[in-house]
Each structure stands twice: as structure tokens, then as C-alpha cells.
Amino acid sequence: MSRFDHKPRLESTRHDIVIVGGGGAGLSAAIAIAEQHPQLSIALVSKVVPMRSHTVAAEGGAAGVVSASDGLDLHFRDTVVGGEWLCDQAAVDYFVARCHEEMVRLEHWGCPWSRGEDGYPAVRNFGGMSTARTWFAADKTGFHILHTLFQTSLRFPRIQRFDEYFVHDLLVDDGCCRGVVAIDIASGDFHALQAGAVIMATGGAGRVYRQNTNAGILTGDGLGLALRHGVALRDMEFVQFHPTTLPGSGVLITEGCRGEGAYLTNRHGHRYLQDYGLGPEVREPVPKTMELGPRDRLSQAFWHEQQAGRTVDTPNGPAVQLELMHLGRRKIAERLPFISELAKTFVGVDPACAPIPVCPSVHYTMGGIATDITTATALPGLYACGECASVGIHGANRLGSNSLAELLVFGREAGLQAAGFAADQARQGTAAALAAQARESAARAAQWLARPAGGLRLAELREQMTTAMQDGVGIYRDAERMASTCESLENLSQLLDSISLDDRSRCFNTEWLSAIELGFTLDVARCIAHAALNRRESRGSHQRLDGYNQRDDDQFLRHSLATLAPGQPPQIHYRAVNITRLPPGERRYGGGSATEHKP
Amino acid sequence: MSDGSGQIDILISRYDPERDDQPHTERFTVPYQHDSSVLDALLYIKDRIDGSLSFRWSCRMAICGSCGKMINGVPRLSCKTFLRDYAPGPLHIEALHHFPVIKDLVVEQAGFLDKLPEARPWLIREQEQALADGPHRQSPRQRARFASTSACINCLLCYAACPQYGMKPDFAGPALLALVERYNADSRDQGRAERMPLINAEDGVWSCTLVGNCSAVCPKGVDPAAAINRNKLESAKDYFLRFLKIGSGGAE
Amino acid sequence: MKAHYQRPMGRWYLRPFYLFVYTLRELTAVFVLLYALILLSGLAALAAGPEAWASYRQALAHPLSIGLHGLILVAALYNSITWFMVAPKAMPALFIGTRPLPGLLITLAHIVVFVIVSVALLVLAGAG
Ligand SMILES: Cc1cc2nc3c(=O)[nH]c(=O)nc-3n(C[C@H](O)[C@H](O)[C@H](O)COP(=O)(O)OP(=O)(O)OC[C@H]3O[C@@H](n4cnc5c(N)ncnc54)[C@H](O)[C@@H]3O)c2cc1C
Ligand code: SF4
Ligand code: FES
């Protein structure tokens, strides 16, 4: 009946370096290699065409010290204090020293940064930063960064793109990562890409939760891939809730609004953040004060307002109000045009006339594939950068605008490191062994299409997972609910094999891909839940209500490392934090009291 | 218009290359709320009714450019189009016109992607500035010159709206020519001459008959029709100058 | 293994409606051309002598001709206005500071000038 034979084809190609992910991190890596090592062949593999990657959605800006009154040390301190000392301080030092250069590099490639009257790129305030150092391109910074990188990458014919190829496995031989196996989505055929080194740049895993700011593609594939090959995920319990997103959809309303001076008010029109140690109430934006506090504190304050019944009700749940009216139509049009469009489109609000209803949603995966400061993972030949990686700069709470900068700094680093590794020909694997591995892996993935009908629906399982995470591992956590989430997740991952697909065809079968993704997402969810349950303290974005309400440096000033063995719940280990020069201290915001608001 | 929630019938053009010679239409009934988008409806169908329905989507916030479909015959982003505006239906969804259909609502974009490098969409400088010299200067006014053309999300709605592209698949088309204009209009760029061949080519600006529909459907206010037609002036000038052998075409 | 489906173009010039608007714009150019030919033949008649000129004027006064001129007027108006609507796209970009001049303003400016010139011509013709 079919016009095509159903036998999965397996093609195979060789490259010096394979990059998985065409977002800001993957593209930075690719361009760095192409520029510095023009003799190397680069395969850029992405399940969506690169400019569709979720970097495109970043709005607010990218950090990079510019002004004379600022300094690298200040950026370092803001980041380490913001991350509540769970940052690798050497990595942070390396990072802050390179941000500015990367912003300039992007400018030279054509990035349309917003400008001051003097013709130099402008900077804005951002949460938790002591001074304005966030570069921006109106409120579409990520969009412009991604398109600039993508378009610049077209200059280099050595970057061979594999657009809409879905990576479902790594090739590992002789203890080294030597390539990936992918599905060519359009045809459903398999493709093994062998390489001297592999870079993971697959982005975050926000889809683990129900209400999030992430794209549909952010299912944590890279994290899942690393886990399955024995590489640990670090600090996964730290999940950032962004305080200002649209109720229901989770569409992001950038922190840039607050950087420009927006207010957050409760149902009484009261700027409630002053009640949570972030005051005094100021009319103009003051760094690290009120609305410019860090994201963890702001999301937590929302939770308390909600408990106290001071939020407003929307058809999609409780919200507070983000007021931009006093900024004036002109400034909104110039600095926040996309926010204006989003608010009008998705909630029917013109922000120049009325407040936008907002609430916290899951936004950013602070943890990730554990790497050292050079982006190398524990698996030789495997590098990781961008949101899927944990190089250690975000700690327990990322500061807004540090991530886009991270993509550039560590994307480049990953590219150069991987190039160095791949150039060492002695490490090349045995082609025959790799081919056999690829065949096996392809056959496993193809099994999804042969499963009997009548099983569970994929979406049902996914919904149960996201609900369990939303309920058990939210802004405030307790042992009972986390344990119950852990249990549900273990059950769900047993059920994965009982799913059956409606679509057994090969060509552009997105249901098939979703099933493989769900496998990755579930593994990531399990790591988050177990790491959270095991961290018996409160720090940054991980806040507990069950007696572990305080930070406990003695026990837990340590990174968590999650590993996964088949058929077992995740194992959580701990590793010391690299503290080079800023000893742990108190985390203060606002001009007011240092007392932390605890329930 | 209705009160903003209820049920709506959706007709979807389906095509499975492994079985079909041409598309056929299937009917689905989905519930909707005041804020349900067409993308929400497609996801509802995929999750609960028929998992084999294929379509592209990602950001669901009108910025990644993945989710363009024909909605009642008009190219639109499905995440930015709301069911309440089409109640009580039926609503007809098809793959973007003019592109080859791979499956259901998924089209082949290679026609656009493969041509991208011809636009030479990167900053071209006679002398590259060293990083240590810091950023180029550019006034807010100069930046405004390419603000609209740099807003393109490559959603390709404009191609689906352009009958010339439908008849001449080799036509560079609205978004690509807007991209050329984006760099040409950037005060930091000096690569106009390198981009002239694409503009002048038979499949360049002269294939455009100023239907203007590309600009009408563009969800980001790029106004590709303007970008193209302004370049007709450039192209004519370029031709004239070359004719007079005065210049080789305009690096100004 | 790819077997893509390529949709035929069909009668794109009729449907959807916005393409019909465009098709009409292009078609109305024929009427504009027709009018130019009529004027041209008038010129030829004038050159040919008073008799030819008289019969030309007579022909113009024929009800069929008046009907045709009515049609041409409508078509020419449609042609001009639809072109005014796309005019902002065919001219160099205009800015006030950092903001682009709205296209509607440019279209309106065209229409205003068009009306003024038409009225002036009518007045002149009436006076002459
Ligand atoms: C709405 C929003 C706004 C934000 N705003 C800001 C901001 O203002 N400032 C800031 O600093 N940070 C911001 N962030 C965070 C920042 O944008 C992200 O952390 C960053 O863009 C991630 O980039 P990336 O390159 O790591 O991954 P992404 O851009 O997400 O790209 C992931 C890539 O991996 C590919 N991929 C994934 N899985 C597979 C697979 N299995 N096979 C093949 N390819 C695969 C995808 O196709 C994609 O190309 C924001 C985040 C969001 C969600
Ligand atoms: S010009 Fe507009 S319609 Fe065309 S691809 Fe760009 S954003 Fe989409
Ligand atoms: S899903 Fe990204 S533009 Fe609609």
C-alpha cells in the first residue's frame, strides 16, 4: 500500500566537529571554529532551522560591563551574590572578563544594538545588577542576536547545516564521544554523524513544567542524552521562575520593562515588593531595589501575595499588575515595542493605557550538563555550552541578561576547545564499531513505530509529568509533595513503554519525535525532583517550607550532581563549590533591611 | 463574533506522501476559550484526537517564524491568530501556498533557505574594525533606517501571499530582498555592490509587479514591498551608471 | 523518497479578494491606455483639418462614447487611487527623526494633490 519502502535507511558522514543545537550557543561555537580553524569541517545539527531556536525569544538584553563607573569586579559580585554563592567563582571571573568583547564582536557582525544619542550602544538596568550594564536591541535582543549569528554563519561554507535533524543518541567508543545519531525529520531516515568532538548546545528544559516561557522544542534533549551516557547533571533543583509572564500561556514580559521603570502592584495598587525587604519604594528605577530585585525574590513575593489573597483574578489564575503607563507611549514604542505587541495580542491590553496581568512561570534551567570551566564534560570529546550546560556561573539563581552573554562567551570557548580536541587525530574512533552502534540505536528508535496500537496517549503522560512537577517542585517546596512527585515520575517513566503512536509513518512524523523527547524530559524531571528533595536547605530559587527554610552552608554549599542508571531512580551526589575570592555572606537587596522574608 | 468560548469546526488539509497523491480535507471539532489561538487548536487535535497531524511550531509567541499556515485562505501565524475571530467556523487551515507540501501543514522551505547566502546577509566592511577599537558608532536615526527590515522573522507568509513567487519559484521573493535592503540601509555596511547582482537579476526586484500583498500579510511590519520597490530605483540607477561606464554600481 | 505535493496556481487572479483588487488595478490600465489613444486620435483629427476635427467631436458626443468615457473615468480613478495606495512603497523612505513617515500620510498627500490639480484643470477648462 505504501509508496515507499519502510526500511529505515542509515546514512553516515564524517566531520571534524558536530554541534548539536543551532541557538545562540551552537552558532557561536560554529562561527568561532570556522574563523579560527578554517580547515576543520563543522556539522551544525538542529531539530529546527537555526533562526527558529528559542534564543530568538529572549527579550531583555545581554550583560557586559561598559561604563567606567562599573567594573568587572562588580559584575562578578552581583553574579555570585545573585547565585547565592553556588557559583564557580573562577568561571564567573572568566565570564565577566569576556562579556564586553563578545558584545562588540556581535556589533561588528551587524547586531542592531539600541543606541544612545552619542552613537554608542546603550545599556539598561536589570534585576540584581548594581548598575546599568545590559546591552539591548529594543526588547528583541535574542531575536537580533540569533539572526545576526545565523546570518554571519552563512559566510562560512565550512559550516554544513543539518536543519531539521533530530539527534536521538550519542556515539561513544573507547570512552570517547565520537558523534551522534539523528533522524532526518523530513524523510524519517537515520543519519550517523561521526566526529572528532561533539558540542551539546540544545538549550533548556522548561517543558518539564506546565506553565513556562519556553518553546515547544525545549524538552531537555541534550541533558537526557548526556545522562544516558553517564554524564552527570549539576544543580538541577535550581529552576528559575520568571516573575512577570502572562497567566496561562506563560508568554514572557521582559524584565527590561522593570529596567525601564515599570511597577509591580497587587490588587490594592500597592507596590508590594517593599514588604519583602526590597524597598524603599522608589519612583525611578534604582539598581537592586524594588522591581529590580532578583527573580527568585520577586517570584517568592508573588507567592506570598497570592497566599494573602492580594492578587487579582484572571481567567487563567491569579496575577499581579505590571504597570508601564507612567513610562509614556513614546518610550514604550521605542524601548518595548514587542511587549506592547505581545500584551495586545495575548491579553488584549495596551500597556500604555492599562497594567499587564503577570504571574511567575518556569523560565530557565540553571543547572545542566556538568562541565569544567573549559566547557568539557566528564566524557572526553563531549563539550556543552549554553542553557543545557552548567559551567557554574548561575549558581542558585541566574541574573537576567547573564544567559545571552553566556551563550557567546562559552559558545565560543566550547568551539575552540572542541576544535583543539578534534584536531588530535590519534583520538579518532573505529568506524566499524561506530557504524554498528548507530545501527543499533536507529533500530531502537524505530521500534516506536512498530508498537501495537491501543496503548497510552503520549499527551496524557506528558500532562501528568508537567502537573506533577508544577505541583511538587514549584516556587516553594516541601518534602511531602516533592516525594510524591518523585514517585509519580518513577511510575510515569515505567509507563513510557506503554505509549502507542497514532502516526506510524516516517515522513515528518512529529509524534514520533515527541515520544523520544518525552523520554528525555522525564529523565530530566526525575533529576530535578530528586535533587530538590535531597537539598535540605533553602537557597536562591530552591525554597522549602518544611523546616529547611534557611540556607545551610555547612551542609549544602555544594553542587548537586545527578546521575541515572537504567531502571533506578536518579542518584544524587555532592561536590564542593569553587570559591576563589568572595566568601559566603549575606545576600542583601534594596536599601532597606537585611531580614529575609520567610513564611 | 461570539462571547469568546465554545466549539468550532476546523477543516484541515491533510497530505501524507506515503499514501496520498493529493491533499484531502478532514474535519475536527475543538473547544476554545477567549484566548485560544489556531495553534492551540492544532495542538489540541494532535494531543487528543489525531497524533498524526503534522505542523511546525515552536515559540508560540510570534517570534520564531515556524507556524505560518493558510487560515481561511490568508497566510497567518497560527500562534497569533485567534479562534474567537472565526467563530462559529468552519475554519479552513492549509499549508502555506506556493511551497511544496512535505506532509499535512508542513512545507519545504529550501527554496528560501538555499538562496539566503545570495543576499550576502552579513556586515561587509572594506576594512574590518579591530575588537579593541570598540563598536562602530551609529546614531539612533541611522539605526531607524533598517529597523523595520531587520524585524523579519523569516516566517515566509509573504511568499505565500505573492502570486509572482507562485508562478516563478526562482524569484528571490519578498523576505530575501528585504534582507538585502536591511544590510544596504545599515550605515555600518559597505557591501551594496556585492548585493547588486541579486537585486539586478531577472529573479531579483524586477520580478516584482508591486502586488503589495506581501506587506499586507507580514506580521512584523517589515514592508518587503517597499524594500523591493525602493531597490528598483537603485537597480535602474546602477544599470544607467554601468551603461555610462561611470561606476560599477554604487558602493556609496 | 520525498514526494512533495505542489499545489497548482489555479485562478489566483480572481481569488482571494485582495488579488482580485490587484488584477483590477492592472486591468484598469487598459482603460487609461484607451483614453490616451482617444486623445491621440483627437490630435490626429485636429491635424487632418476642420472636417476631421468636427466628426471627431461628433463621435465624442455619441451616447456610446459618453458611456465609454464614464467607464474610463471610473477605471482611471480606480487605477490612480490603487496606485496612490502603493506609492509609499515605490519611493525612497522618509523619516521624521527615528520614525518612518506613515504610508497613509503619503497616500493622502497624493490624493490631495490629485484633487487640487483636477479641480484647477476643470476650473481652467471652464474659464477657457
Ligand atoms: C522568553 C525568554 C526570554 C529570555 N530573555 C533573556 C534575556 O533577555 N537575557 C538573557 O540573558 N537570557 C534570556 N533568556 C534565556 C536565554 O535566552 C536562553 O538561555 C538561551 O537563549 C538559550 O540558548 P541556547 O543556544 O543554549 O539554546 P536555544 O536557543 O534554545 O537552542 C537550542 C537548540 O538546540 C536544538 N536542539 C535541541 N534538541 C535537539 C535535538 N534533540 N536534536 C537536534 N537539535 C536539538 C534546537 O533545535 C535549537 O537549535 C530568555 C529565555 C526565554 C525563554
Ligand atoms: S517579510 Fe514579513 S511576512 Fe515575509 S518572512 Fe519576513 S516577517 Fe514573514
Ligand atoms: S510558534 Fe513561533 S511564530 Fe508562531
Side-chain angles (χ1 to χ4, degrees):
Chain A
M1 178 181 89
S2 165
R3 288 157 65 195
F4 305 95
D5 66 288
H6 265 258
K7 236 194 253 148
R9 256 169 270 216
L10 175 64
E11 253 192 76
S12 184
T13 46
R14 263 198 98 80
H15 314 267
D16 288 312
I17 292 152
V18 168
I19 300 171
V20 187
L27 284 167
S28 296
I31 298 174
I33 304 169
E35 267 191 346
Q36 302 294 317
H37 302 272
Q39 78 288 0
L40 296 183
S41 63
I42 306 157
L44 184 68
V45 192
S46 174
K47 64 180 173 180
V48 294
V49 183
M51 83 295 224
R52 317 257 185 246
S53 307
H54 206 51
T55 297
V56 82
E59 298 168 358
V65 168
V66 272
S67 74
S69 63
D70 196 358
L72 297 182
D73 188 54
L74 219 48
H75 190 188
F76 169 88
R77 279 170 184 274
D78 289 344
T79 303
V80 173
V81 175
E84 209 149 1
W85 280 273
L86 205 65
C87 308
D88 179 318
Q89 296 190 3
V92 178
D93 261 325
Y94 182 90
F95 167 68
V96 297
R98 280 160 187 79
C99 292
H100 178 263
E101 181 179 280
E102 290 305 323
M103 301 306 142
V104 174
R105 197 190 310 275
L106 268 182
E107 199 280 337
H108 287 186
W109 287 341
C111 184
W113 295 117
S114 289
R115 308 269 173 167
E117 280 305 328
D118 61 0
Y120 285 110
V123 284
R124 64 162 51 125
N125 283 306
F126 239 65
M129 300 278 191
S130 355
T131 177
R133 63 166 77 97
T134 296
W135 298 49
F136 61 97
D139 55 354
K140 292 200 276 194
T141 311
F143 164 82
H144 283 300
I145 290 181
L146 187 66
H147 280 252
T148 301
L149 288 171
F150 175 64
Q151 289 162 8
T152 300
S153 79
L154 298 172
R155 272 167 61 189
F156 302 100
R158 291 297 272 172
I159 303 177
Q160 187 185 354
R161 291 210 320 273
F162 290 82
D163 291 350
E164 302 195 322
Y165 277 63
F166 178 94
V167 172
H168 63 90
D169 208 355
L170 302 180
L171 294 172
V172 178
D173 186 37
D174 205 10
C176 272
C177 186
R178 300 189 194 281
V180 302
V181 197
I183 298 169
D184 172 1
I185 300 176
S187 68
D189 288 333
F190 292 95
H191 195 120
L193 296 101
Q194 300 183 14
V198 174
I199 300 174
M200 274 294 145
T202 55
R207 286 275 148 177
V208 167
Y209 287 80
R210 194 174 53 224
Q211 184 171 303
N212 62 69
T213 66
N214 283 196
I217 56 171
L218 294 176
T219 44
D221 305 0
L223 291 88
L225 285 167
L227 262 182
R228 286 181 196 178
H229 289 274
V231 180
L233 303 186
R234 181 162 58 204
D235 295 339
M236 289 305 290
E237 61 273 41
F238 298 101
V239 175
Q240 181 162 77
F241 282 75
H242 194 294
T244 58
T245 76
L246 299 180
S249 65
V251 164
L252 183 79
I253 301 298
T254 177
E255 189 164 301
C257 296
R258 286 170 280 133
E260 298 294 345
Y263 300 153
L264 272 172
T265 59
N266 63 17
R267 70 182 309 151
H268 306 300
H270 172 61
R271 286 174 69 194
Y272 59 90
L273 292 173
Q274 58 191 298
D275 307 335
Y276 299 90
L278 291 161
E281 184 176 7
V282 283
R283 295 188 65 83
E284 297 294 316
V286 172
K288 294 167 73 168
T289 302
M290 292 296 288
E291 284 81 3
L292 289 176
R295 291 178 179 173
D296 54 341
R297 292 287 168 83
L298 264 62
S299 293
Q300 289 151 20
F302 174 91
W303 188 90
H304 291 294
E305 288 295 297
Q306 185 195 343
Q307 298 293 310
R310 291 193 291 265
T311 47
V312 292
D313 291 322
T314 78
N316 291 313
V320 288
Q321 320 193 72
L322 185 69
E323 298 187 4
L324 284 81
M325 294 89 78
H326 58 284
L327 301 181
R329 192 171 286 283
R330 208 191 161 122
K331 184 158 184 181
I332 294 175
E334 185 190 303
R335 296 272 171 113
L336 303 162
F338 188 41
I339 290 310
S340 203
E341 177 190 330
L342 290 172
K344 285 177 194 156
T345 307
F346 291 102
V347 284
V349 167
D350 177 353
C353 304
I356 310 174
V358 293
C359 69
S361 295
V362 164
H363 179 58
Y364 187 85
T365 314
M366 253 102 55
I369 305 170
T371 74
D372 64 17
I373 185 175
T374 72
T375 74
T377 70
L379 178 64
L382 182 68
Y383 297 79
C385 56
E387 191 170 337
C388 72
S390 164
V391 71
I393 63 169
H394 302 309
N397 171 63
R398 170 184 76 110
L399 294 189
S401 77
N402 265 353
S403 172
L404 287 175
E406 176 192 17
L407 307 181
L408 304 166
V409 171
F410 289 102
R412 187 176 177 79
E413 176 70 11
L416 300 180
Q417 293 290 339
F421 186 91
D424 188 347
Q425 287 300 315
R427 295 205 189 97
Q428 295 286 333
T430 42
L434 294 180
Q437 227 182 81
R439 269 196 306 278
E440 253 173 60
S441 175
R444 258 199 316 279
Q447 270 169 14
W448 278 103
L449 303 176
R451 293 223 185 140
L456 290 173
R457 272 200 92 74
L458 173 63
E460 255 166 56
L461 220 66
R462 190 201 293 131
E463 269 171 38
Q464 288 178 26
M465 170 192 71
T466 55
T467 305
M469 290 301 288
Q470 201 85 29
D471 293 348
V473 204
I475 298 176
Y476 279 102
R477 307 164 174 185
D478 61 55
E480 198 182 321
R481 282 180 301 158
M482 284 188 284
S484 125
T485 295
C486 288
E487 199 185 311
S488 319
L489 294 174
E490 293 309 307
N491 293 337
L492 289 174
S493 57
Q494 301 298 320
L495 290 176
L496 201 59
D497 284 337
S498 328
I499 291 178
S500 53
L501 304 181
D502 292 345
D503 194 349
R504 315 293 180 83
S505 71
R506 301 203 139 261
C507 167
F508 231 98
N509 183 342
T510 52
E511 195 188 19
W512 179 25
L513 306 181
S514 297
I516 301 174
E517 286 171 347
L518 183 60
F520 294 136
T521 318
L522 258 171
D523 285 350
V524 174
R526 292 160 71 201
C527 289
I528 296 175
H530 278 91
L533 181 61
N534 281 338
R535 184 173 285 276
R536 288 183 295 279
E537 64 154 355
S538 290
R539 181 188 299 272
S541 67
H542 175 73
Q543 295 292 320
R544 295 185 62 146
L545 297 168
D546 53 355
Y548 300 109
N549 314 28
Q550 298 299 321
R551 199 170 100 193
D552 179 357
D553 283 349
D554 290 342
Q555 295 281 332
F556 285 103
L557 184 52
R558 290 188 294 166
H559 296 295
S560 71
L561 287 173
T563 52
L564 203 55
Q568 284 172 32
Q571 295 290 308
I572 309 295
H573 323 269
Y574 292 91
R575 185 72 46 83
V577 178
N578 181 15
I579 293 171
T580 56
R581 61 195 184 90
L582 187 65
E586 201 178 357
R587 195 171 164 229
R588 269 169 194 262
Y589 291 98
S593 77
T595 52
E596 291 191 12
H597 191 96
K598 294 285 177 187
Chain B
M1 281 265 176
S2 72
D3 67 338
S5 67
Q7 292 213 330
I8 187 166
D9 273 355
I10 300 186
L11 303 173
I12 300 183
S13 171
R14 309 269 328 244
Y15 171 69
D16 176 356
E18 295 175 23
R19 293 202 192 148
D20 306 334
D21 289 318
Q22 59 176 47
H24 61 280
T25 303
E26 278 180 29
R27 179 183 287 263
F28 299 91
T29 306
V30 303
Y32 71 93
Q33 309 278 315
H34 70 287
D35 58 352
S36 307
S37 64
V38 171
L39 175 61
D40 291 330
L42 293 172
L43 289 168
Y44 179 92
I45 293 167
K46 184 159 186 84
D47 283 353
R48 288 160 209 267
I49 306 175
D50 184 352
S52 72
L53 179 67
S54 288
F55 49 93
R56 290 193 183 96
W57 69 287
S58 179
C59 70
R60 79 225 144 80
M61 52 191 278
I63 192 75
C64 75
S66 302
C67 70
K69 319 273 183 286
M70 301 304 288
I71 298 174
N72 280 358
V74 180
R76 289 174 171 280
L77 295 180
S78 46
C79 66
K80 207 190 172 187
T81 306
F82 294 88
L83 296 174
R84 57 172 187 256
D85 298 331
Y86 294 85
L91 176 65
H92 198 155
I93 309 179
E94 297 163 86
L96 282 184
H97 283 175
H98 305 156
F99 293 97
V101 180
I102 298 179
K103 182 186 177 194
D104 293 342
L105 304 174
V106 179
V107 297
E108 176 58 80
Q109 318 168 338
F112 171 75
L113 293 173
D114 293 352
K115 267 182 261 172
L116 269 175
E118 287 174 40
R120 309 189 73 71
W122 47 81
L123 206 69
I124 299 172
R125 303 277 302 173
E126 276 149 28
Q127 196 101 60
E128 287 204 17
Q129 190 158 321
L131 276 185
D133 294 338
H136 302 107
R137 291 178 70 171
Q138 182 171 59
S139 71
R141 276 161 192 253
Q142 287 171 320
R143 183 184 184 273
R145 295 299 141 127
F146 63 99
S148 67
T149 43
S150 66
C152 172
I153 60 173
N154 297 353
C155 63
L156 308 184
L157 299 190
C158 49
Y159 286 76
C162 173
Q164 297 300 339
Y165 182 70
M167 288 179 291
K168 272 180 84 175
D170 289 332
F171 174 33
L176 194 69
L177 292 167
L179 185 59
V180 168
E181 173 64 9
R182 176 253 174 272
Y183 281 95
N184 280 351
D186 189 327
S187 58
R188 298 167 293 178
D189 183 82
Q190 298 165 326
R192 183 181 288 270
E194 281 190 40
R195 300 188 192 98
M196 262 351 252
L198 176 65
I199 292 182
N200 289 338
E202 199 195 319
D203 297 321
V205 293
W206 299 105
S207 282
C208 166
T209 54
L210 194 34
V211 180
N213 199 30
C214 50
S215 294
V217 302
C218 175
K220 292 289 152 180
V222 172
D223 203 352
I228 294 174
N229 285 281
R230 278 169 198 151
N231 274 296
K232 283 183 182 164
L233 220 66
E234 283 302 319
S235 180
K237 211 165 78 188
D238 183 62
Y239 177 79
F240 189 65
L241 288 176
R242 267 186 303 164
F243 185 71
L244 295 178
K245 290 206 166 57
I246 295 178
S248 59
E252 288 150 67
Chain C
M1 76 149 269
K2 291 175 189 172
H4 294 164
Y5 172 74
Q6 183 71 53
R7 190 175 172 276
M9 277 300 279
R11 298 209 187 122
W12 62 267
Y13 41 84
L14 295 182
R15 266 160 54 96
F17 182 69
Y18 50 76
L19 287 183
F20 182 61
V21 171
Y22 158 79
T23 309
L24 271 189
R25 184 188 86 200
E26 300 293 288
L27 273 181
T28 48
V30 174
F31 290 86
V32 177
L33 177 78
L34 203 63
Y35 189 63
L37 287 178
I38 292 174
L39 282 185
L40 214 64
S41 60
L43 208 63
L46 199 60
E51 261 166 51
W53 177 240
S55 63
Y56 171 73
R57 291 194 48 157
Q58 215 171 6
L60 282 191
H62 192 277
L64 265 182
S65 153
I66 292 181
L68 179 67
H69 275 80
L71 205 64
I72 289 178
L73 180 66
V74 172
L77 275 176
Y78 181 89
N79 188 273
S80 308
I81 290 173
T82 44
W83 270 109
F84 290 159
M85 274 154 58
V86 290
K89 308 199 181 309
M91 43 190 277
L94 297 176
F95 283 85
I96 322 168
T98 56
R99 295 166 184 227
L101 197 66
L104 193 64
L105 224 63
I106 299 175
T107 301
L108 282 178
H110 275 81
I111 292 177
V112 166
V113 171
F114 173 73
V115 168
I116 290 175
V117 170
S118 303
V119 169
L121 279 176
L122 279 178
V123 169
L124 275 180

